[in-house]
């Protein structure tokens, strides 16, 4: 795109506000998230209704699945940093996820578990590599970084709106097998748009320079070795993922082992880095901890909130009984509607030097998330046990939660990218998504422990929502307090 047709921002590190490469990544992300959120919209209900899995076990299995995705994200980031490059890692991820979604249509339990494992590994390969690609294309300008990651978040939720609605209509009309094929088609679209638009990515999707230089001297090995390494690692990961899906109780130990390994790496980095590097690593650790708490409650949208919507909410809208999975797209729809307003407000404050810093935003976002669950609990208590909760309370809850999500999601992703050490972007983004592993496991356990009775059919959503609300409020207050203490120490 020529300079005459593209607006620029002044300042060091500034690049084009829009470019074909950036637009390519937004479209790729939208289709990718459409497929993923479409799957999440029906997965827990499919397990309960079609696989006859008890509600508590279904919660834990879905939590295990999302945890595996986050664990795979760490490996996917390291693999891209050291061997493949971001583009090849993403392409391999979409191929695995697309095939995995097709396997979900096979009635055999082994094929279903294998399909979920392939989607987990494939999604992990993609998630830790697309944000660094965007960061490289955008440049170092702070305002552009913030705007771009907010817009990427909007693309994510545009897909998150379309996917659940589309799969709800398809599964209602044709069945779950057609819905899973739709998920596969979404991944194929992501791969196709990436391959079509990679010529505009300015080479940032290519293998690391050290690998590229080897390719010139060892063309045969360079052509096949990266793919052989990737295939072997993916095969091992797939076997492990399939085994863990059959034994969900093991995922807690897998998450613990991964976090211990990351802590060891953090400790090593803190020892070898200078003062600036140590500050970056410590700040990154704070972002990961806050993200774990926030995601543990926000992922209830695909767990306890989804079952609550099916059982206890009046879903009739204009004489149409809205399918439960369609409500999984409600959160994303609110992000698309409310997100631009949040961006406008933040840019208005930034122009007047009144914008709060990023860590303050994280704390406020967690507080808002806590308030949203307390509002939903209030709706349950006001309605009483003998009536369906009016749709108004679910809509209010989702709208308020989105306001908090817009402060935590894109800001956390931006910080994870900015705080990465040179040459380790994939690893640091992967660790940020590792927060989702702990959060996914915690979300499943929290849902099972706080909303499901001993017989796996009785639900106490009021108590569970209260627990989620208090968790959000507590983490928000701790984050804001830590931020003020840090500022006070700086001044002294």
């Amino acid at each position: 795109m020529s300079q005459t047709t593209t607006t620029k921002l002044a300042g060091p590190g500034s690049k084009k506000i829009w470019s074909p490469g950036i637009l390519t990544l937004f479209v790729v992300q939208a289709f990718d998230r459409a497929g993923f959120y479409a799957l999440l919209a029906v997965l827990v209900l499919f397990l309960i209704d079609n696989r006859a899995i008890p509600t508590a076990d279904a919660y834990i299995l879905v939590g295990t699945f999302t945890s595996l995705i986050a664990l795979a994200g760490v490996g996917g980031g390291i693999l891209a940093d050291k061997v493949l490059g971001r583009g090849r890692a993403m392409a391999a991820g979409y191929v695995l996820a697309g095939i995995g979604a097709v396997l979900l249509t096979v009635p055999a339990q082994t094929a279903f578990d294998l399909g979920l494992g392939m989607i987990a590994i494939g999604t992990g390969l993609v998630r830790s590599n697309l944000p660094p690609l965007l960061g490289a294309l955008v440049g170092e300008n702070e305002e552009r970084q913030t705007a771009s990651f907010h817009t990427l978040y909007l693309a994510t939720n545009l897909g998150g709106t379309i996917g659940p609605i589309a799969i709800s209509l398809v599964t209602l009309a044709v069945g779950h097998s057609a819905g899973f094929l739709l998920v596969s088609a979404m991944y194929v679209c992501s791969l196709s748009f990436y391959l079509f638009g990679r010529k505009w990515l300015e080479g940032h999707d290519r293998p690391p320079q050290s690998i590229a230089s080897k390719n010139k001297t060892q063309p045969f090995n360079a052509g096949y070795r990266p793919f052989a390494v990737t295939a072997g690692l993916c095969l091992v990961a797939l076997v492990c993922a399939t085994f863990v899906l059959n034994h969900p109780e093991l995922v807690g130990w897998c998450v613990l082992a991964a976090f211990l390994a990351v802590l060891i790496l953090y400790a090593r980095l803190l020892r070898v880095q200078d003062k600036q590097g140590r500050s970056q690593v410590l700040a990154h650790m704070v972002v990961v901890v806050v993200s774990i708490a926030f995601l543990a409650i926000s992922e209830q949208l695909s767990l306890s909130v989804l079952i609550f919507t099916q059982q206890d909410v009046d879903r009739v809208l204009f004489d149409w009984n809205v399918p439960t999975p369609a409500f999984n797209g409600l959160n994303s729809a609110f992000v698309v509607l409310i997100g631009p307003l949040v961006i406008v407000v933040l840019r208005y404050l930034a122009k007047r030097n009144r914008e709060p810093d990023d860590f303050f935003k994280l704390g406020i976002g967690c507080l808002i998330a806590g308030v949203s669950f307390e509002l939903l609990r209030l709706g349950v208590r006001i309605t009483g046990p003998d009536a369906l909760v009016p749709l108004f309370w679910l809509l209010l809850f989702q709208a308020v939660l989105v306001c908090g999500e817009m402060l935590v999601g894109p800001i956390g992703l931006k910080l994870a990218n900015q705080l990465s050490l040179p040459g380790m972007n994939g690893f640091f983004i992967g660790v940020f998504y590792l927060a989702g592993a702990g959060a996914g496991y915690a979300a499943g356990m929290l849902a099972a422990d706080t909303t499901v009775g001993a017989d796996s059919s009785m639900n106490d959503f009021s108590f569970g929502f209260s627990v989620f609300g208090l968790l959000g409020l507590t983490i928000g207050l701790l984050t804001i307090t830590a931020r003020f203490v840090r500022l006070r120490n700086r001044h002294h």
Side-chain angles (χ1 to χ4, degrees):
M1 187 174 289
S2 65
Q3 185 171 336
T4 57
T5 59
T6 307
T7 309
K8 289 190 175 183
L9 286 172
S14 64
K15 292 186 177 182
K16 298 179 232 181
I17 290 180
W18 292 107
S19 71
I22 293 174
L23 290 173
T24 295
L25 293 182
F26 289 159
V27 174
V28 168
Q29 178 78 346
F31 275 106
D32 171 44
R33 296 295 85 188
F36 178 70
Y37 285 117
L39 177 62
L40 279 189
V42 299
L43 186 55
V44 69
L45 295 174
F46 176 80
L47 292 172
I48 294 170
D49 297 337
N50 292 67
R51 297 275 174 168
I53 294 178
T55 302
D57 293 341
Y59 285 157
I60 294 173
L61 182 58
V62 174
T64 300
F65 171 64
T66 55
S67 296
L68 287 174
I69 290 173
L71 288 171
V74 180
I78 296 174
L79 197 63
D81 284 340
K82 304 299 182 184
V83 181
L84 280 182
R86 312 219 178 278
R88 289 177 178 176
M90 289 170 57
Y94 286 131
V95 171
L96 281 173
I99 296 173
V102 173
L103 287 178
L104 298 184
T105 64
V106 180
Q109 184 65 40
T110 302
F112 187 83
D113 293 339
L114 183 63
L116 281 182
M118 293 181 76
I119 294 173
I121 302 302
T123 304
L125 283 170
V126 173
R127 288 180 70 182
S128 56
N129 288 300
L130 196 148
L133 263 181
L134 176 63
L137 282 173
V138 167
E140 300 175 359
N141 183 280
E142 178 72 18
E143 184 180 349
R144 280 177 41 75
Q145 286 268 344
T146 300
S148 295
F149 278 99
H150 269 105
T151 310
L152 181 67
Y153 207 71
L154 292 180
T156 298
N157 286 279
L158 178 62
T161 302
I162 295 172
I165 294 174
I167 201 169
S168 296
L169 298 176
V170 169
T171 54
L172 195 63
V174 186
H176 281 93
S177 292
F180 294 142
L181 291 177
L182 176 65
V183 172
S184 180
M186 297 288 188
Y187 289 127
V188 171
C189 287
S190 286
L191 176 61
S192 301
F193 275 102
Y194 162 68
L195 293 176
F196 175 77
R198 67 185 303 240
K199 57 181 175 288
W200 294 311
L201 298 180
E202 302 176 9
H204 294 297
D205 61 326
R206 294 173 185 167
Q209 190 61 39
S210 59
I211 303 298
S213 61
K214 284 183 182 179
N215 290 355
K216 296 178 181 179
T217 58
Q218 300 177 357
F220 180 82
N221 289 341
Y224 292 95
R225 183 184 298 163
F227 298 102
V229 171
T230 302
L233 290 175
C234 286
L235 181 61
V236 171
L238 186 57
V239 171
C240 294
T242 306
F243 181 77
V244 170
L245 285 168
N246 277 285
H247 302 82
E249 68 278 3
L250 296 178
V251 74
W253 294 104
C254 293
V255 172
L256 178 61
F259 272 108
L260 288 176
V262 168
L263 285 176
I264 292 172
L265 288 172
Y266 271 143
R268 182 176 179 275
L269 290 172
L270 288 172
R271 188 173 65 252
V272 300
Q273 292 294 316
D274 57 15
K275 183 177 180 181
Q276 176 63 28
R278 287 194 295 271
S279 177
Q280 286 183 228
V281 173
L282 289 172
H284 193 276
M285 293 174 68
V286 172
V287 173
V288 169
V289 171
V290 173
S291 297
I292 290 174
F294 180 83
L295 290 171
I297 60 176
S298 66
E299 287 191 6
Q300 296 300 321
L301 291 171
S302 300
L303 298 170
S304 59
V305 173
L306 192 66
I307 301 301
F308 166 73
T309 302
Q310 183 183 49
Q311 295 182 358
D312 289 358
V313 174
D314 182 2
R315 294 182 282 112
V316 177
L317 185 65
F318 302 117
D319 297 325
W320 178 44
N321 192 25
V322 182
T324 301
F327 284 96
N328 232 42
L330 189 60
N331 175 263
S332 296
F334 273 124
V335 170
V336 174
L337 293 173
I338 298 175
L341 178 61
V342 174
I343 294 174
V344 168
V345 171
L346 290 177
R347 296 192 71 173
Y348 174 84
L349 293 173
K351 289 179 180 179
R352 286 154 181 78
N353 295 320
R354 302 287 299 275
E355 183 181 11
D357 64 62
D358 288 336
F359 282 91
F360 190 75
K361 292 175 189 173
L362 291 179
I364 293 296
C366 289
L367 286 176
I368 293 174
V371 169
S372 71
F373 274 96
E374 294 299 334
L375 286 172
L376 192 57
R377 180 181 72 91
L378 179 63
V380 174
R381 293 182 67 87
I382 289 177
T383 303
D386 300 324
L388 293 176
V389 177
L391 188 57
F392 162 80
W393 289 104
L394 184 63
L395 296 176
L396 178 63
F397 156 73
Q398 295 266 24
V400 175
L401 179 61
V402 160
C403 293
E405 186 177 341
M406 286 301 297
L407 293 176
V408 177
I411 296 299
L413 188 56
K414 186 193 81 168
L415 285 172
N417 185 65
Q418 285 185 340
L419 295 170
S420 301
L421 297 175
M424 300 185 67
N425 294 71
F427 168 74
F428 275 87
I429 292 291
V431 171
F432 172 75
Y433 282 125
L434 179 62
Y441 181 70
M445 296 301 295
L446 279 171
D449 290 343
T450 61
T451 66
V452 181
D455 61 357
S456 293
S457 61
M458 178 184 65
N459 295 286
D460 183 11
F461 294 111
S462 179
F463 173 72
F465 295 158
S466 177
V467 171
F468 306 145
L470 288 174
L471 178 60
L473 293 172
T474 301
I475 295 298
L477 288 173
L478 288 175
T479 304
I480 293 173
T481 302
R483 179 253 186 192
F484 278 117
V485 169
R486 182 167 175 262
L487 288 178
R488 183 181 176 184
N489 290 338
R490 275 187 178 181
H491 291 153
H492 286 290

